Amino acid sequence: MFILDRLEEIVNHQNIPLHPASVPFIVHGVEREREKQKEKEMTLGLINANPVVHERRERLSRADDPPHHPYPHPHPHPDDVLDALDVFDSVRDIRDPEHPYSLEQLSVLSEESITVDEKLGRIQITFTPTVQHCSMATVIGLCLRVKLMQSFPPHFKVDIKVSPGSLANEEAVNKQLNDKERVTAALENPNLRQLVDECLYSSELYSY
Amino acid sequence: MAEPSTWVPHVESFVDASRTSSQHDSSLEAIATLVKKDIISLLEVVREMEMYLTTTDNVIRSRGTLLLGEILARISHKTLDRTAIDSLSDFFISRLADWVALRGTLIGCHAILCRKKEVGSISKSDVQRFSKVFFEEVDVRSLAANDRKLCYELLICVCTVHKEVATIQGEDLVYDILRSIDDEMDPTCLMLAFQLLQSAISLFPVLSDVAYQDAFDILSKYFPVYFTHGDASNDATREELSDILLNIFCSSPKFEPHIIPFLLEKLCTAFSLAKLDSLKYLRKCISCYGPDRMADHAEDLWRSLETVIFNKEEDRITKEALECFETAVSVLITPNRDTFFGLICQKIDPLLNRIAPEKQAELHALGSIFAIISRVSDNLCTRVFRKYFARLVNSLVESIKGSLNSEALYLVSEILSSCRGLIQRSPDSTEVISDKVSWLNILRNYSGDLSAALLKLVNAITSLKEESLVVKQENVLCAVKCLEVLATFPEGCPPITDETYDSILKSLALIISEMDRSTLLWKSTLEGLIQIGSVAENSIDRRRSLVYTALVVENLLSAFVNSTLPLDLSLEALYGIGMVGKHQMEQVLQVVEEIIVVKILKVCLEGEFVQADTLISLLQFYSGRIISWLSDAGDVSEVAMQFALHIWNQMENKNILKNIHVMGILDALMMTMKHLVSVSTINHQSVIVQKSHEIILKSVSCPTEWFATAFQNPELLMSSPSSSVEDLNLISLFASVITAVSAQTPLPPSNLNSSSNFVSNLFLFFFPRGHVPAAQALASTINKNPTDNKAIESCLSILSEDKTENKQFFKKDIITGFAWIGKGLVMRGDDRSKEIIQFLLKLVISSQHGLDAALSAADGFHIIMGDSDGCLNKKFHAVIKPLYKQRLYSTLVPVLLKSMKEANSKEVVCRAFGHVISDAPLTAVIGEAHKILLAVADSIITLSMDIQNKDVVYSLLLVLSGILMDSTGKESIIENLHIVIGVLTRLVSYPHLMLVRETAIQCITSMSTLPHSKIYPVKPQVLKAVTRALDDKRRAVRQEAVRCRQAWSRGKD
């Protein structure tokens, strides 16, 4: 089997939330939230139930482009070269598959864990799962890969790795994440695809 | 009376359940109209329908009842007699038990209950019987949402229209209603249910405690109102529901024992909506229930609020909590009730002793609490001053010698700004001023020490000597704020002595003039000084105003003259200080004028060209800000005229004239001159015109007789020697005067022939020599003086004569000049503009006088259609006919469209077309989108070859995006989708201008919302083009490309 085996298992167990009756109705807010949480916990025990949430860092605002250069510059706009912050900006808001927090808030990623070589066309991302035996690491890696494929030109070679020592089956995960065929196969699984899409496009993050 | 056979088919059609609903509606309307017009009587209808109303077939019976109910609802304004009403109410009340036909019964009951007395209404006994039967027979909770809605409406009708009957039923009614609305979940029904309960409760002045308890039990389940599916599609929004629920709780103070503990409990949950709503409810309840009822809850309330205020929460929660706290303070603390204040003190006292610098959140909470208590009332403010102020000031004063107690400083600043607010609200409160122990007098006792300490802190940042005191900027910021507050008390009750006031001004002015960087401190100090200045300016006592002028205004002016500050800061400070009052601004104006003249001399006579930039900034500051502020504030004409004359006096010096055009000084000077002239009155304008006229006559080197005749004789014009630099500069400046005068100002007559106009002749002489300002001035004269036909005719004569052999006339500047004159004519709707337009069009289409001439002519359309800052606008008194652009647009576009195919140089025509389209009002363009869209696309492609057309390409693209944003424009886009996408995808890699690439991608992004069936064929093309843009050199384009790609690839797959 080429498909990311463990992943599929998780996804097939998880209840993909369906839209209940279309008639809007009101329920008692807090209780409902609690019920939802309980429901989730019963169907699938959370792998890391209480993650440490870090404060979101101030978004670095880049100096605005000067409206016009008085003299033509030999290197047009040297500030606009693709850098690690660009990559970080595109992936920091990806939601964690388990929690309503972003990867940045959970410190799975940071700007320092990304290296970019524009000339050679390489992007390397190292991420740190929240717990040693996090089986969600592969989903996170998959999300990163999809997001980068969408945001950067195809000639960039993207390497996604788990930071050394942060995961029990580190080698296997790294191998899975950088195997083109496995990734393609994984994305053809509709359940997995939906999970990835939810992580990428969900806006229900807690904001502080 | 109509025959039954004519209308009974309508009844049959309505009762027949197999018909469509539109058939049902039309037959219902038909019968209702017949009844309304008295063609058939209601009794007759009932008689004919008897079978349908009594049959055992459930479907037919329910349709029959529905028909009767609906008819009744439609004739609510028709008078019915007592028997009819009684029998109808009898019928419907008895039918409440028939659950199959309930819908019709409910509609019928509602119609009868709502009837007005004048048209026959239901009897009281029947209402009573109705409500008895209703609650016995109808189980509201088991009905569908629509029926429930009807039931609530019915009951609201009973409780509002038939109050006296409803009141008789007493508490039972409330209980019956509570039973019916229990567990209601549909937002629309819930809204009605809440309204119903509110009106039921308001019927009775007081109910038994148990009833309030039960009502609370049912209502509290809805708190906080929260939709599980979002509230986009609901009739009732969350806020409306939440408000009406709150109103019910506030309607009787008897809810207090139940709701307050409940809200306090909810405040402790983690759900932010619950917190937010509890705070909102608490605030309203506290002010509704009053101090007596709330007294018991004071302690719990404070504990809960304290937790929210002192913990880090979302901003909106903290804000709501502080508002709630303010209400609590103003309601709960009364002269004979002190618990709440005591509780607050219990919390504050230990905190004040050990406030850690790293706990900023705690400090801010404390600051807000102090600020709120001291701004609620004089009484409370005095208590804060007595208990805390002295302590805080003492520890602040103590700490100045060693390490600064910045927490005390912050808290003092909060208290001070609150109490200034108090005194500003009631500036002559005798109690505060005369009472020895009022807060104001306490403040007076301490103000000496306090301001001395603050001044020491502020002075430390400007003096380099005192290295012993290391100060942080934020502390100085706080100190500046305190000093500002102390200096801005109303004049009747100053807390500080005059000497202290003077030293505050000195120190603050020193910060402005000594700190040479634009920091937050600098800016807020300037703000503070402006505030102090405005208070001083508005006070009756002139002493402060005089001191302010001496210490602040003059200080800053001397700093400006000695240029100790960077120019931009200096100008910002001067403008700010000037805004304090007219007098101050005039002082600033005077100094700036002097400096301008000095700089002109320096640059032009001594050759200090490095000063040119400063001079230009000064001129822009002078004309753009000072003069426009003064002209908004009142009469500025005299001042403006004096300075204009002063500038003209300088022009008598040949050496200045020779150099004035270097480094763009002349342009700035001309603009200033235009502003000066435009704000002057007509009399002053004519003085300026006369003065400049004299100087022209005196200084222009070529003989003035030429002006009158030269134009009629082009040969002479060509052969005359070219003008000197001095002459041209002088004419430019004179042109700027003439450009800005208003139409009524008399212009000087010619010396030779009093009937002809000197001004027109002068400019007619210089304009064909390629002098654009002369052409602009000529255009302004022509625009404003329609009677001066001679000038227009002379201009047009060149065009009518055959001048093709004379290449001189097809220079860029002359064509531009003609465009300006054309603009002057077009703006006032003169038909003679046609000749100039035709001249330009001919040049554009035929290109027979070379490409340069054709391009200049194309750009001429930009001049004619566009808006100009420099001349021919409202500010400079131009005559503007409404809609002139639209008119010109609709004449030009067909010609240009036609010639696009046959022109010698398509690029030139496209350029002209681009100017016309992009300068025309967008609504006019969108109206004809279907006609011009293809031409726009074609022009963009043609123009995108050459870098010099990049601006036109950009403005055309903006037009295209404007069409795309409009709903009718969208249709044209969809019709030509392939072409538009083709153009946009090409522009995605447009190499010359980043804005074009970015906008093109944005256009493509917004096109992803067009109907999917139309856009799916172009999807691969778009994705390919946008993927290329992911590799763009510029970051903004790349980010736009990611968004675009996402929008297109996430479209319905």
Side-chain angles (χ1 to χ4, degrees):
Chain A
M1 280 271 279
F2 280 115
I3 299 177
L4 305 167
D5 318 334
R6 174 79 181 111
L7 276 186
E8 216 185 7
E9 206 182 303
I10 294 167
V11 170
N12 291 342
H13 271 259
Q14 186 148 12
N15 278 357
I16 305 291
L18 288 171
H19 273 286
S22 54
V23 188
F25 57 90
I26 300 177
V27 291
H28 193 183
V30 185
E31 266 77 343
R32 174 76 184 177
E33 285 291 290
R34 244 179 249 148
E35 271 166 32
K36 257 168 124 180
Q37 197 66 28
K38 223 181 269 169
E39 226 169 70
K40 208 170 168 187
E41 279 165 29
M42 274 160 63
T43 46
L44 173 79
L46 288 178
I47 291 163
N48 180 8
N50 285 312
V52 183
V53 181
H54 301 260
E55 234 174 274
R56 234 194 276 196
R57 261 205 285 174
E58 269 305 291
R59 223 153 258 258
L60 278 181
S61 68
R62 295 170 186 276
D64 283 336
D65 284 336
H68 56 273
H69 285 278
Y71 309 106
H73 203 276
H75 271 293
H77 317 293
D79 295 346
D80 275 1
V81 171
L82 182 72
D83 59 16
L85 186 57
D86 274 324
V87 178
F88 184 52
D89 270 339
S90 73
V91 294
R92 66 199 301 178
D93 286 333
I94 296 177
R95 203 196 67 186
D96 183 88
E98 273 191 346
H99 304 285
Y101 297 106
S102 70
L103 294 186
E104 185 194 3
Q105 283 172 308
L106 297 176
S107 267
V108 173
L109 281 173
S110 69
E111 194 190 333
E112 291 72 33
S113 65
I114 299 170
T115 50
V116 174
D117 188 330
E118 231 244 338
K119 287 201 188 99
L120 293 178
R122 286 184 75 112
I123 298 175
Q124 188 168 7
I125 297 191
T126 316
F127 68 96
T128 318
T130 48
V131 281
Q132 273 258 321
H133 35 268
C134 181
S135 56
M136 285 292 164
T138 35
V139 186
I140 296 175
L142 199 58
C143 290
L144 289 174
R145 184 163 289 282
V146 173
K147 185 75 191 182
L148 293 181
M149 275 190 330
Q150 287 171 351
S151 310
F152 297 98
H155 63 75
F156 272 94
K157 180 176 187 316
V158 179
D159 289 320
I160 299 176
K161 283 189 180 138
V162 182
S163 65
S166 66
L167 202 63
N169 52 346
E170 182 185 322
E171 217 169 295
V173 171
N174 282 346
K175 203 169 173 188
Q176 277 190 338
L177 287 177
N178 292 302
D179 185 328
K180 226 189 224 174
E181 291 187 350
R182 285 197 190 194
V183 170
T184 316
L187 289 179
E188 276 171 19
N189 178 333
N191 291 341
L192 204 44
R193 180 83 216 196
Q194 193 179 350
L195 182 60
V196 167
D197 280 350
E198 267 171 33
C199 292
L200 292 190
Y201 304 117
S202 158
S203 51
E204 48 173 278
L205 292 175
Y206 285 167
S207 51
Y208 281 90
Chain B
M1 286 289 155
E3 280 297 307
S5 57
T6 55
W7 56 269
V8 168
H10 288 310
V11 176
E12 280 161 4
S13 139
F14 188 89
V15 172
D16 184 356
S18 62
R19 303 285 180 96
T20 61
S21 64
S22 60
Q23 279 173 325
H24 286 154
D25 289 346
S26 60
S27 24
L28 171 62
E29 290 306 329
I31 304 171
T33 324
L34 289 175
V35 177
K36 246 187 251 173
K37 289 184 181 163
D38 269 338
I39 298 172
I40 49 176
S41 73
L42 194 62
L43 201 67
E44 221 174 329
V45 178
V46 175
R47 208 176 296 135
E48 284 298 326
M49 282 178 60
E50 188 183 349
M51 200 251 297
Y52 301 120
L53 295 173
T54 52
T55 168
T56 50
D57 183 327
N58 286 342
V59 178
I60 293 181
R61 194 175 68 250
S62 76
R63 295 291 307 167
T65 322
L66 185 60
L67 176 61
L68 190 59
E70 292 280 10
I71 293 176
L72 214 53
R74 276 166 178 67
I75 56 166
S76 57
H77 296 297
K78 188 176 156 58
T79 313
L80 294 177
D81 55 32
R82 172 85 358 235
T83 30
I85 295 274
D86 284 345
S87 56
L88 281 168
S89 7
D90 268 350
F91 171 74
F92 281 119
I93 291 172
S94 67
R95 283 311 163 93
L96 282 170
D98 180 9
W99 66 270
V100 184
L102 194 62
R103 166 76 58 85
T105 314
L106 291 175
I107 293 175
C109 287
H110 188 249
I112 291 188
L113 283 168
C114 290
R115 287 183 73 86
K116 296 258 161 50
K117 246 190 187 125
E118 306 85 71
V119 290
S121 62
I122 184 168
S123 69
K124 280 185 186 172
S125 58
D126 278 349
V127 178
Q128 215 168 350
R129 199 153 55 88
F130 163 79
S131 74
K132 186 163 169 280
V133 177
F134 180 86
F135 288 117
E136 272 169 12
E137 298 292 347
V138 183
D139 180 11
V140 180
R141 294 170 55 186
S142 64
L143 299 178
N146 254 335
D147 293 336
R148 289 206 305 276
K149 199 174 145 206
L150 277 173
C151 291
Y152 297 138
E153 281 168 353
L154 254 177
L155 292 175
I156 290 176
C157 194
V158 172
C159 291
T160 51
V161 182
H162 305 281
K163 274 187 186 159
E164 64 288 4
V165 185
T167 329
I168 298 169
Q169 296 173 53
E171 217 164 276
D172 289 349
L173 178 74
V174 177
Y175 271 105
D176 283 332
I177 288 174
L178 281 176
R179 214 170 293 126
S180 321
I181 67 173
D182 193 9
D183 271 347
E184 177 60 68
M185 287 294 183
D186 178 77
T188 321
C189 292
L190 193 62
M191 189 78 197
L192 288 170
F194 283 164
Q195 280 168 9
L196 170 61
L197 194 61
Q198 197 181 10
S199 41
I201 291 181
S202 66
L203 285 176
F204 308 99
V206 70
L207 293 168
S208 69
D209 289 348
V210 193
Y212 288 112
Q213 161 86 55
D214 291 339
F216 171 76
D217 283 347
I218 286 177
L219 290 174
S220 65
K221 275 187 284 184
Y222 296 103
F223 181 87
V225 178
Y226 169 78
F227 293 135
T228 46
H229 288 72
D231 59 357
S233 57
N234 296 331
D235 300 335
T237 65
R238 199 198 81 80
E239 274 67 35
E240 283 168 356
L241 280 170
S242 174
D243 285 348
I244 192 164
L245 185 61
L246 175 58
N247 284 341
I248 299 179
F249 286 136
C250 289
S251 63
S252 165
K254 288 259 197 174
F255 277 116
E256 167 266 316
H258 316 292
I259 179 81
I260 300 290
F262 173 77
L263 290 176
L264 292 177
E265 185 199 327
K266 287 285 170 190
L267 193 51
C268 303
T269 55
F271 190 41
S272 61
L273 187 66
K275 277 189 185 177
L276 208 60
D277 267 11
S278 323
L279 288 167
K280 186 174 135 199
Y281 277 43
L282 272 174
R283 184 153 62 96
K284 187 83 188 287
C285 289
I286 291 172
S287 49
C288 280
Y289 298 162
D292 295 335
R293 278 194 169 269
M294 290 304 297
D296 296 343
H297 301 288
E299 187 162 357
D300 293 337
L301 180 65
W302 166 246
R303 298 269 171 260
S304 310
L305 283 177
E306 178 197 320
T307 325
V308 180
I309 294 173
F310 279 91
N311 286 346
K312 203 170 171 237
E313 295 278 358
E314 283 173 50
D315 281 351
R316 50 188 188 141
I317 294 183
T318 313
K319 190 168 159 263
E320 192 72 50
L322 289 175
E323 279 173 20
C324 182
F325 175 71
E326 186 165 356
T327 316
V329 168
S330 55
V331 172
L332 293 186
I333 307 180
T334 55
N336 48 5
R337 266 180 229 286
D338 219 20
T339 342
F340 201 67
F341 191 74
L343 286 165
I344 300 171
C345 293
Q346 269 176 29
K347 170 81 186 176
I348 293 178
D349 288 338
L351 268 182
L352 278 183
N353 294 334
R354 43 142 203 95
I355 194 146
E358 67 272 9
K359 287 199 171 167
Q360 283 298 311
E362 213 164 67
L363 181 64
H364 280 281
L366 206 54
S368 315
I369 288 179
F370 272 128
I372 287 171
I373 304 180
S374 13
R375 76 168 171 237
V376 165
S377 70
D378 284 325
N379 189 9
L380 276 171
C381 187
T382 303
R383 295 182 72 170
V384 170
F385 266 76
R386 270 189 223 158
K387 203 162 159 58
Y388 297 107
F389 191 71
R391 199 168 138 195
L392 287 170
V393 171
N394 284 338
S395 79
L396 173 63
V397 172
E398 283 296 307
S399 72
I400 282 287
K401 293 166 194 150
S403 73
L404 180 74
N405 185 345
S406 55
E407 294 75 33
L409 177 60
Y410 170 73
L411 296 177
V412 167
S413 82
E414 288 291 319
I415 299 177
L416 278 180
S417 21
S418 282
C419 68
R420 180 189 53 179
L422 268 182
I423 195 93
Q424 276 172 345
R425 262 181 281 153
S426 50
D428 28 49
S429 147
T430 47
E431 194 187 326
V432 176
I433 297 171
S434 57
D435 187 1
K436 276 221 170 101
V437 286
S438 78
W439 63 263
L440 183 62
N441 287 318
I442 300 177
L443 176 59
R444 276 183 183 145
N445 292 341
Y446 284 93
S447 67
D449 290 351
L450 176 63
S451 39
L454 293 171
L455 282 171
K456 195 172 171 202
L457 188 63
V458 170
N459 291 340
I461 206 158
T462 43
S463 68
L464 298 168
K465 288 169 284 176
E466 268 188 74
E467 59 284 297
S468 61
L469 198 64
V470 183
V471 284
K472 283 191 198 157
Q473 275 232 355
E474 59 260 31
N475 291 338
V476 181
L477 209 62
C478 233
V480 168
K481 197 178 147 202
C482 291
L483 289 176
E484 181 211 319
V485 172
L486 287 175
T488 47
F489 268 62
E491 57 175 330
C493 43
I496 46 171
T497 59
D498 287 346
E499 291 75 45
T500 319
Y501 185 79
D502 299 354
S503 359
I504 291 178
L505 290 188
K506 256 185 230 160
S507 299
L508 296 189
L510 208 59
I511 293 189
I512 295 291
S513 55
E514 294 284 315
M515 288 190 67
D516 53 356
R517 275 170 302 122
S518 175
T519 51
L520 185 61
L521 175 61
W522 191 89
K523 276 185 195 144
S524 45
T525 310
L526 182 60
E527 287 285 312
L529 274 177
I530 295 173
Q531 285 299 327
I532 297 177
S534 343
V535 172
E537 187 62 23
N538 291 330
S539 58
I540 305 157
D541 178 17
R542 297 314 299 162
R543 187 199 167 266
R544 289 196 167 185
S545 178
L546 292 175
V547 171
Y548 188 78
T549 311
L551 291 180
V552 179
V553 182
E554 281 171 14
N555 195 340
L556 287 183
L557 283 173
S558 77
F560 167 64
V561 174
N562 303 328
S563 45
T564 48
L565 269 179
L567 186 69
D568 52 335
L569 287 191
S570 186
L571 294 184
E572 198 185 325
L574 284 185
Y575 184 66
I577 297 299
M579 280 198 301
V580 165
K582 204 169 166 218
H583 175 65
Q584 282 80 355
M585 191 59 103
E586 274 165 2
Q587 253 180 309
V588 172
L589 173 110
Q590 215 176 355
V591 174
V592 174
E593 279 179 0
E594 280 164 22
I595 301 262
I596 287 178
V597 175
V598 170
K599 297 272 174 195
I600 290 180
L601 295 179
K602 273 199 174 155
V603 175
C604 300
L605 293 183
E606 297 169 24
E608 283 188 37
F609 294 124
V610 280
Q611 304 262 18
D613 284 343
T614 316
L615 176 56
I616 291 172
S617 314
L618 282 175
L619 284 169
Q620 283 166 352
F621 174 69
Y622 178 83
S623 59
R625 300 189 78 177
I626 303 188
I627 286 291
S628 38
W629 188 89
L630 278 173
S631 81
D632 289 344
D635 186 26
V636 71
S637 177
E638 175 72 34
V639 190
M641 179 195 73
Q642 290 301 344
F643 190 52
L645 294 182
H646 199 48
I647 293 179
W648 274 107
N649 281 334
Q650 305 302 317
M651 293 306 135
E652 286 183 288
N653 186 332
K654 285 270 175 205
N655 289 329
I656 294 183
L657 266 185
K658 207 162 87 188
N659 286 330
I660 195 83
H661 62 285
V662 291
M663 308 191 59
I665 296 175
L666 185 62
D667 292 335
L669 197 61
M670 281 168 67
M671 203 59 193
T672 309
M673 183 60 79
K674 286 177 195 172
H675 279 286
L676 288 174
V677 173
S678 72
V679 295
S680 302
T681 60
I682 290 169
N683 288 342
H684 288 148
Q685 282 184 358
S686 64
V687 174
I688 301 173
V689 171
Q690 241 155 25
K691 171 84 185 174
S692 49
H693 178 218
E694 279 165 24
I695 293 178
I696 293 272
L697 287 181
K698 212 160 53 180
S699 311
V700 170
S701 54
C702 57
T704 40
E705 305 84 62
W706 285 9
F707 301 155
T709 51
F711 210 79
Q712 282 101 20
N713 188 355
E715 301 307 319
L716 180 65
L717 189 68
M718 296 302 154
S719 60
S720 67
S722 57
S723 311
S724 63
V725 178
E726 289 93 333
D727 280 0
L728 289 179
N729 290 347
L730 206 54
I731 297 300
S732 296
L733 202 58
F734 186 56
S736 63
V737 173
I738 299 300
T739 305
V741 290
S742 63
Q744 290 81 23
T745 309
L747 296 179
S750 167
N751 287 352
L752 298 174
N753 177 357
S754 59
S755 70
S756 75
N757 192 324
F758 168 79
V759 174
S760 315
N761 286 337
L762 178 73
F763 293 131
L764 275 169
F765 177 76
F766 279 95
F767 142 60
R769 298 160 81 95
H771 196 261
V772 177
Q776 291 179 341
L778 189 57
S780 295
T781 332
I782 289 173
N783 176 268
K784 290 167 200 168
N785 303 310
T787 47
D788 190 3
N789 287 320
K790 199 159 166 278
I792 305 175
E793 274 158 23
S794 318
C795 287
L796 299 178
S797 68
I798 327 175
L799 301 177
S800 57
E801 284 164 38
D802 187 21
K803 293 275 177 357
T804 39
E805 76 283 356
N806 196 342
K807 290 281 179 222
Q808 296 281 2
F809 273 108
F810 298 103
K811 275 192 200 153
K812 181 172 187 272
D813 288 340
I814 300 180
I815 296 171
T816 311
F818 273 117
W820 279 110
I821 292 167
K823 184 177 172 68
L825 288 171
V826 169
M827 280 175 90
R828 40 170 289 211
D830 196 308
D831 279 345
R832 283 170 291 188
S833 64
K834 255 187 228 152
E835 288 184 42
I836 291 177
I837 303 273
Q838 267 163 4
F839 164 71
L840 293 176
L841 271 177
K842 217 162 89 189
L843 278 179
V844 166
I845 296 166
S846 67
S847 320
Q848 55 180 323
H849 298 289
L851 198 61
D852 281 346
L855 280 174
S856 311
D859 290 343
F861 286 109
H862 181 45
I863 292 174
I864 296 181
M865 294 280 289
D867 294 320
S868 160
D869 289 334
C871 75
L872 286 174
N873 52 34
K874 218 170 175 183
K875 194 158 187 234
F876 299 143
H877 312 291
V879 181
I880 304 173
K881 203 174 171 190
L883 298 178
Y884 80 96
K885 282 189 188 176
Q886 273 94 326
R887 239 169 258 142
L888 189 60
Y889 165 81
S890 48
T891 33
L892 281 177
V893 164
V895 184
L896 286 171
L897 282 179
K898 197 167 143 248
S899 56
M900 221 177 256
K901 294 169 200 120
E902 54 209 39
N904 290 336
S905 164
K906 189 175 174 187
E907 187 193 335
V908 179
V909 181
C910 286
R911 196 174 161 88
F913 178 74
H915 284 314
V916 171
I917 294 279
S918 52
D919 289 329
L922 192 62
T923 43
V925 178
I926 288 174
E928 294 191 352
H930 55 286
K931 280 190 210 154
I932 55 150
L933 191 63
L934 288 180
V936 169
D938 195 17
S939 306
I940 292 181
I941 296 292
T942 315
L943 292 172
S944 62
M945 309 293 178
D946 192 341
I947 186 166
Q948 63 174 338
N949 293 325
K950 60 182 181 182
D951 294 335
V952 188
V953 169
Y954 182 55
S955 21
L956 275 174
L957 186 60
L958 287 182
V959 172
L960 193 64
S961 75
I963 297 177
L964 196 57
M965 289 298 137
D966 183 82
S967 58
T968 48
K970 257 183 201 154
E971 286 167 24
S972 324
I973 297 269
I974 292 175
E975 278 166 31
N976 302 298
L977 190 82
H978 279 90
I979 295 165
V980 175
I981 284 285
V983 171
L984 289 175
T985 46
R986 272 178 78 166
L987 289 184
V988 166
S989 44
Y990 185 73
H992 308 305
L993 193 64
M994 184 202 76
L995 279 175
V996 169
R997 299 198 294 276
E998 199 182 349
T999 316
I1001 299 178
Q1002 281 166 348
C1003 287
I1004 298 179
T1005 311
S1006 71
M1007 285 176 79
S1008 69
T1009 55
L1010 295 177
H1012 185 64
S1013 57
K1014 306 280 182 199
I1015 58 168
Y1016 83 93
V1018 295
K1019 194 167 164 180
Q1021 188 189 353
V1022 166
L1023 287 178
K1024 203 172 146 200
V1026 177
T1027 309
R1028 248 182 287 131
L1030 288 177
D1031 207 10
D1032 198 279
K1033 286 198 293 282
R1034 303 298 301 270
R1035 176 173 291 117
V1037 179
R1038 292 198 297 264
Q1039 285 170 348
E1040 217 43 73
V1042 172
R1043 250 167 260 150
C1044 180
R1045 222 168 151 232
Q1046 205 166 314
W1048 275 79
S1049 51
R1050 266 171 67 78
K1052 295 163 208 139
D1053 277 327

